[in-house]
Amino acid sequence: MTIKQKLNRESTAGYVFILPFIIGFLAFTIIPIFFSFALSFTSYDVLSAPKFIGIDNYVQMFTNDSKFWKSMGVTFYYALVSVPLRLIFALLVAMILVRPSKASGVYRAIYYLPSIMGGSVAVAVLWKRLFASDGAINALLQLVGIPCKIAWLSNTSTAIWTLIILAVWQFGSSMLIFLSGLKQIPVTYYEAATIDGAGKMKQFFSITLPMLTPVIFFNLVMQLINGFMAFTQCYIITQGKPLDSTLFYTVYMYQNSFQFNQMGYGCAMAWVMLLIVALLTGVLFKTSNNWVYYASK
Amino acid sequence: MNYTQRKKIGTVIYHILICFFGIVMIYPLLWMVMSSFKDNTEIFTNAKSLIPKTFELTNYSTGWAGFGGISFSVFFRNSFVICILATVGTVISSAVIAYGFSRCNFKLRGFWFACMIVSMMMPFQIIMIPQFIIFKQLNWVGTFAPLIVPYFFGLPFGIFLIMQFIRGIPRELDEAAKIDGCSIYGIFVRVILPLIVPALVTTAIFSFMWRWDDFLAALLYLNKPSFYPVSLALKMFSDPSAQSNWGSMFAMASLSLIPIFVIFITMQKYLVEGISTTGMKD
């Protein structure tokens, strides 16, 4: 068989086609991951060679770094509050907008716009100004008669909420996903339910919600991962202030590795987060059999 | 009140409510654009009003001048160079990989597909430190390469999207071309590629928008202001150490959203399609 013939066999051609992925996967995911694992047992400041220190980084992290625990708590709070809230909003608005009307295209666009721009630096900078004590939010609250002078960003109990609101505000893409999911539910299900005397509430909990669970599940997993990894918003808007009450895990990791030059410690932090994310994803997948409904089963 | 009347009132209330919340949703963006026309002190004293007392364009001219002698035309050019090159890489590589996964039978296909799911779920933040060290060894830090080259090895979102699209193309077309003497590579270039253009456009749009917003990678790898993309320049512009001129800040921030907004207005069909076929946003 000539090389040309060999290359034209599916078994070879397949590898030729996915070769870029294999190279990229090894070079940009697998090798860095193991490299990071090795570095997590060293003390490394970039300038001199890494020094092996065993599990000291991990010991330090768990026993002697209150900022580590603080940032872990903040990140969990942020992800576990903002992601479910965003999904609930997305579903609610999708249920309202699914009703066909002449303007529904325009409405869909308006609600989708923030999620397209919300991740940008421009909006992060804007948020800083909106929630300043002399910013637009307070000005508007005063306009409707609430004498509000709260310094949202410098108060330990409200600062994290400005970031949560920013995350929830971007519910648009999830809304679009739910909209297309809603349209795929056969109308006959609802007709049958109506004939059987099921009310709107009952229909929602017995038809709509179960039919959407695969989509909800997938988005919950992906958005939780992204939530744990949020960086830009915290880095630009609050920088972890006040009193570390908004210090995201990734921002603390960034500070350790690139500002304090403790790359080994940063790698150890990355591995702890990787294990947490993997564990959480695993648990979600394990429990998914109990609450995710797949029509094909 | 009869049934039709009640229904009409219901519809009116429905539209009023949706419009009201719609305004709440886009109010922050409107406020930013409007503030960019306000006089610098008016942003503070007149924060509640959306309409500026007088429309000023000075914010745009002072903002465009940038900082450190580098104007925003440089930052915009950098952003466009990075985004366009990374997007070209993403589209080409994702199309090739997607074709391999969906039309070829090869050993360990399931395994490699699983690897792709892993790489999709693997956050950049986890591998950024070792990646930084590797790129530093390659002397890539301070250049655009770390922001562009990795995208020439496929983007899982794009691969998924294109795979979904290829699945809808009947295999009879492949077989007809094969009988006519077309190789597997010929089938890809001549039969499949022309048919998946919409999926390629969708992938390109998402890739461009994500790269445009990308901040962390630029923050890590670029150290000279003349190499900064718009996102990083805005951050530096807003730092208190630089002159905090909110008016020109908002002017540049508004400008930075224009490319995204243009895509949003002109390509909405593709955006909606991309999100609903993959069921994910990133």
Side-chain angles (χ1 to χ4, degrees):
Chain A
M1 209 191 294
T2 65
I3 291 178
K4 205 173 170 192
Q5 277 171 322
K6 229 179 197 168
L7 272 176
N8 203 26
R9 277 192 326 195
E10 267 185 38
S11 51
T12 330
Y15 270 98
V16 173
F17 281 113
I18 70 160
L19 195 63
F21 167 72
I22 295 176
I23 296 172
F25 183 63
L26 291 178
F28 302 119
T29 306
I30 291 300
I31 293 173
I33 275 287
F34 285 107
F35 188 27
S36 149
F37 188 65
L39 278 180
S40 75
F41 297 102
T42 66
S43 156
Y44 183 42
D45 63 357
V46 199
L47 302 167
S48 48
K51 218 171 42 233
F52 182 76
I53 53 165
I55 57 166
D56 279 10
N57 282 331
Y58 293 95
V59 173
Q60 160 81 7
M61 195 186 303
F62 288 117
T63 59
N64 200 16
D65 187 351
S66 58
K67 256 188 154 183
F68 165 80
W69 290 108
K70 181 83 191 172
S71 66
M72 184 80 92
V74 169
T75 307
F76 264 81
Y77 184 75
Y78 170 79
L80 294 180
V81 172
S82 67
V83 172
L85 266 183
R86 177 162 55 198
L87 290 178
I88 290 169
F89 261 98
L91 184 57
L92 261 176
V93 178
M95 301 264 306
I96 294 169
L97 289 189
V98 78
R99 171 177 156 170
S101 83
K102 271 180 205 138
S104 54
V106 178
Y107 293 152
R108 200 181 57 192
I110 290 175
Y111 284 86
Y112 178 44
L113 188 63
S115 77
I116 263 197
M117 302 187 160
S120 63
V121 174
V123 166
V125 170
L126 161 70
W127 229 245
K128 225 167 145 179
R129 193 65 238 143
L130 277 182
F131 284 93
S133 55
D134 53 356
I137 299 291
N138 279 346
L140 281 177
L141 286 173
Q142 282 157 14
L143 205 64
V144 293
I146 306 165
C148 198
K149 271 263 164 230
I150 301 175
W152 301 95
L153 289 168
S154 46
N155 186 322
T156 45
S157 52
T158 53
I160 187 73
W161 278 93
T162 62
L163 300 180
I164 291 175
I165 291 172
L166 176 54
V168 176
W169 182 54
Q170 301 168 50
F171 66 75
S173 6
S174 312
M175 173 198 79
L176 288 184
I177 296 169
F178 288 143
L179 263 176
S180 77
L182 283 173
K183 282 182 190 148
Q184 277 160 19
I185 303 175
V187 190
T188 46
Y189 289 13
Y190 293 106
E191 287 166 0
T194 313
I195 292 169
D196 289 347
K200 285 270 183 247
M201 277 308 241
K202 179 93 183 138
Q203 287 184 15
F204 173 75
F205 284 107
S206 308
I207 301 173
T208 315
L209 212 50
M211 292 295 283
L212 283 179
T213 44
V215 187
I216 295 176
F217 170 70
F218 185 73
N219 276 280
L220 186 67
V221 174
M222 293 304 286
Q223 293 191 23
L224 273 180
I225 294 178
N226 284 334
F228 282 120
M229 294 302 139
F231 177 87
T232 308
Q233 294 75 17
C234 166
Y235 186 79
I236 291 175
I237 302 173
T238 63
Q239 292 261 311
K241 283 174 252 186
L243 293 173
D244 299 332
S245 67
T246 62
L247 184 66
F248 282 2
Y249 193 86
T250 51
V251 173
Y252 186 47
M253 194 167 92
Y254 172 86
Q255 289 174 344
N256 268 315
S257 339
F258 297 101
Q259 287 172 355
F260 313 144
N261 280 335
Q262 297 178 318
M263 295 263 181
Y265 197 70
C267 285
M269 280 189 74
W271 262 87
V272 169
M273 190 33 103
L274 179 63
L275 291 182
I276 290 174
V277 167
L279 199 73
L280 195 88
T281 314
V283 168
L284 280 172
F285 267 96
K286 264 272 179 310
T287 60
S288 70
N289 284 329
N290 303 323
W291 62 274
V292 179
Y293 170 80
Y294 291 105
S296 54
K297 266 190 197 163
Chain B
M1 212 164 20
N2 63 29
Y3 178 72
T4 39
Q5 264 176 327
R6 256 185 22 219
K7 207 172 162 194
K8 242 183 201 154
I9 291 175
T11 313
V12 170
I13 292 174
Y14 169 84
H15 285 283
I16 289 175
L17 275 179
I18 292 183
C19 286
F20 175 74
F21 283 109
I23 292 170
V24 172
M25 285 292 286
I26 54 170
Y27 186 84
L29 295 170
L30 275 180
W31 188 79
M32 176 170 77
V33 174
M34 287 313 195
S35 296
S36 73
F37 295 109
K38 284 179 186 171
D39 174 52
N40 219 346
T41 49
E42 201 196 328
I43 294 175
F44 299 92
T45 54
N46 198 15
K48 60 182 181 293
S49 159
L50 210 51
I51 315 294
K53 283 185 187 121
T54 51
F55 272 86
E56 301 248 12
L57 283 171
T58 45
N59 286 330
Y60 282 84
S61 52
T62 49
W64 191 261
F67 52 86
I70 302 160
S71 83
F72 262 84
S73 57
V74 175
F75 303 135
F76 271 94
R77 195 200 60 209
N78 292 341
S79 270
F80 275 110
V81 168
I82 295 170
C83 291
I84 289 171
L85 289 179
T87 296
V88 168
T90 298
V91 172
I92 296 173
S93 57
S94 300
V96 170
I97 296 164
Y99 178 74
F101 271 126
S102 45
R103 282 298 211 250
C104 297
N105 257 318
F106 52 89
K107 259 187 220 154
L108 295 177
R109 182 167 74 161
F111 168 76
W112 289 115
F113 194 74
C115 287
M116 197 180 66
I117 311 260
V118 169
S119 80
M120 185 181 78
M121 309 202 42
M122 182 70 68
F124 171 69
Q125 286 83 340
I126 298 285
I127 45 181
M128 69 179 179
I129 303 167
Q131 218 184 67
F132 177 84
I133 297 168
I134 294 171
F135 285 144
K136 201 175 167 68
Q137 296 297 326
L138 291 170
N139 269 328
W140 282 8
V141 172
T143 71
F144 291 157
L147 309 182
I148 296 170
V149 176
Y151 296 101
F152 277 74
F153 299 91
L155 183 76
F157 172 86
I159 299 173
F160 268 125
L161 188 97
I162 299 168
M163 278 181 73
Q164 293 278 358
F165 215 82
I166 294 179
R167 204 167 289 163
I169 300 171
R171 279 200 182 249
E172 284 78 13
L173 285 177
D174 299 37
E175 268 143 38
K178 204 173 170 185
I179 291 166
D180 290 343
C182 214
S183 69
I184 296 183
Y185 308 94
I187 295 174
F188 171 63
V189 176
R190 288 171 201 196
V191 180
I192 300 293
L193 217 46
L195 290 174
I196 58 171
V197 170
L200 301 184
V201 174
T202 311
T203 307
I205 292 170
F206 277 96
S207 159
F208 186 89
M209 293 201 314
W210 290 332
R211 295 292 77 77
W212 189 266
D213 278 351
D214 199 2
F215 171 71
L216 179 53
L219 179 69
L220 285 183
Y221 292 117
L222 300 177
N223 37 32
K224 272 202 296 289
S226 57
F227 279 74
Y228 283 179
V230 177
S231 59
L232 197 52
L234 278 179
K235 156 74 182 143
M236 297 304 156
F237 206 45
S238 76
D239 271 348
S241 50
Q243 25 134 269
S244 250
N245 182 341
W246 283 101
S248 41
M249 177 72 228
F250 284 147
M252 291 307 107
S254 304
L255 285 185
S256 81
L257 292 177
I258 286 180
I260 307 268
F261 189 71
V262 169
I263 290 178
F264 172 77
I265 293 293
T266 55
M267 302 280 179
Q268 222 193 100
K269 197 187 94 199
Y270 290 99
L271 288 173
V272 174
E273 217 167 58
I275 285 185
S276 26
T277 42
T278 56
M280 59 178 155
K281 43 179 238 170
D282 43 33

